[in-house]
Amino acid sequence: MVLTRSAAKSLRSIVRWLPNEVLSLIMCETRQQDLITLSRTSRLMHNLATPVLYHSIVLCSDVQIALFVKTMEIQVAVARLARYVRRIAFSDPAWDFVLTLLPTLVKRLLAVLRLFNQLESLDFGPFTHRRFTDFLEHARFPNLLKFSHLVEYADTSITSFVQRHHTLTDLTLPTTFGQKTQVGSCVLDLPCLQFFFALIFASADCDLDDGLRLLSPVVELQRIVFLPTTMVLDLELLEAVAVHLPRVEHIFIERKLSPSLTPSITRANAPSFVPNLRKFPELSFLSFSNEPCDPLEHHHLETMSLWTSACKTLCAFKFNGNLWGREPVNGTLLHLNTFDSVDS
């Protein structure tokens, strides 16, 4: 049902008895185009829908960015809308998002971004323009909780930006952000960080230890996800985490970008994981995104039994496309379901 101005005046109108807070919650579950239509029906609907429409801004093309900048450059619009923006993203799920923005538009866009004092999530995606490097060097968002940038840089812009935002709880970066040539021997002081997502690039001088060493002082880090794009072995990743982040609770190694390079975990190499698993006092979930296979294959049961014996806190794990769990009372291994993503 679409509310009209005349309906709003009626004693039987929904807006007469339904609280604005409830209407706002309903709008949060409404499609954007329907929300735009609803906002044009009355002043009340407009006032309620506007914060929802501008809460999360996802820009997926040069045209969208240009229109967004043009809107936010209007002084009245900035005063009214900037306070509602909590999330800005320049990426899409297809991983093929490439922008070729004119330098003048980049300059205008960055000037607009500085206006969002209430911003909580910033996803720069694969932006590579030099001006974005300069922006990261000096930008400051007091309420920022999530930051994502997937570009390899040869300077300290990313690290200095992250270091200024002690409020961060979720961080997505390439592992090259911690190379010694960039940040020296500094460490990151992020007391609230709980989730770290690392994209591993194909780089001859990429050292996993450098990036993870910077995170070693982060005591609240609970979940770490690796998305390798190179032939980095699962054992190498687990070993690096065991050395620098032994108190992590969840580890995911996903190979969505390079499925053809996925190494298998076999009966022969499974025991080599045991020394590293013993170093995790709080690890409860471990995921290796390898090729799906028969969940009841004999050596998988052997591997799971071996690993749970090495890590007593390990209660669930994803292995070769299948989810396993350990019964809390008697420790029996159970095949729970079949999964194919981190979000599962």
Side-chain angles (χ1 to χ4, degrees), residues 50-98:
T50 297
V52 180
L53 284 169
Y54 282 88
H55 182 275
S56 181
I57 307 294
V58 181
L59 303 172
C60 299
S61 69
D62 300 25
V63 174
Q64 288 184 353
I65 292 178
L67 291 175
F68 173 71
V69 170
K70 184 177 181 180
T71 298
M72 299 309 299
E73 284 179 336
I74 302 174
Q75 188 171 2
V76 176
V78 171
R80 291 184 57 250
L81 304 178
R83 57 181 173 164
Y84 300 133
V85 179
R86 297 295 186 272
R87 172 178 178 258
I88 296 180
F90 301 89
S91 60
D92 73 348
W95 291 87
D96 57 0
F97 179 69
V98 178

Side-chain angles (χ1 to χ4, degrees), residues 74-130:
I74 302 174
Q75 188 171 2
V76 176
V78 171
R80 291 184 57 250
L81 304 178
R83 57 181 173 164
Y84 300 133
V85 179
R86 297 295 186 272
R87 172 178 178 258
I88 296 180
F90 301 89
S91 60
D92 73 348
W95 291 87
D96 57 0
F97 179 69
V98 178
L99 292 177
T100 54
L101 301 180
L102 295 175
T104 53
L105 180 57
V106 172
K107 183 177 180 180
R108 293 166 57 201
L109 172 62
L110 295 179
V112 167
L113 290 180
R114 290 188 174 92
L115 302 174
F116 301 128
N117 295 325
Q118 302 299 318
L119 195 65
E120 297 176 357
S121 177
L122 178 60
D123 183 353
F124 267 143
F127 265 134
T128 58
H129 199 285
R130 178 66 195 182

Side-chain angles (χ1 to χ4, degrees), residues 205-257:
D205 57 352
C206 177
D207 188 348
L208 290 172
D209 290 323
D210 286 333
L212 297 181
R213 187 181 295 111
L214 267 66
L215 293 169
S216 58
V218 182
V219 296
E220 295 297 326
L221 187 61
Q222 300 175 1
R223 190 173 188 232
I224 185 167
V225 178
F226 290 105
L227 190 62
T229 60
T230 65
M231 185 55 107
V232 178
L233 298 178
D234 294 342
L235 180 59
E236 294 177 354
L237 293 173
L238 190 65
E239 183 177 4
V241 177
V243 171
H244 301 290
L245 302 170
R247 304 199 71 85
V248 70
E249 298 177 12
H250 302 157
I251 300 176
F252 297 82
I253 300 177
E254 298 288 319
R255 296 183 178 273
K256 295 180 180 180
L257 298 186

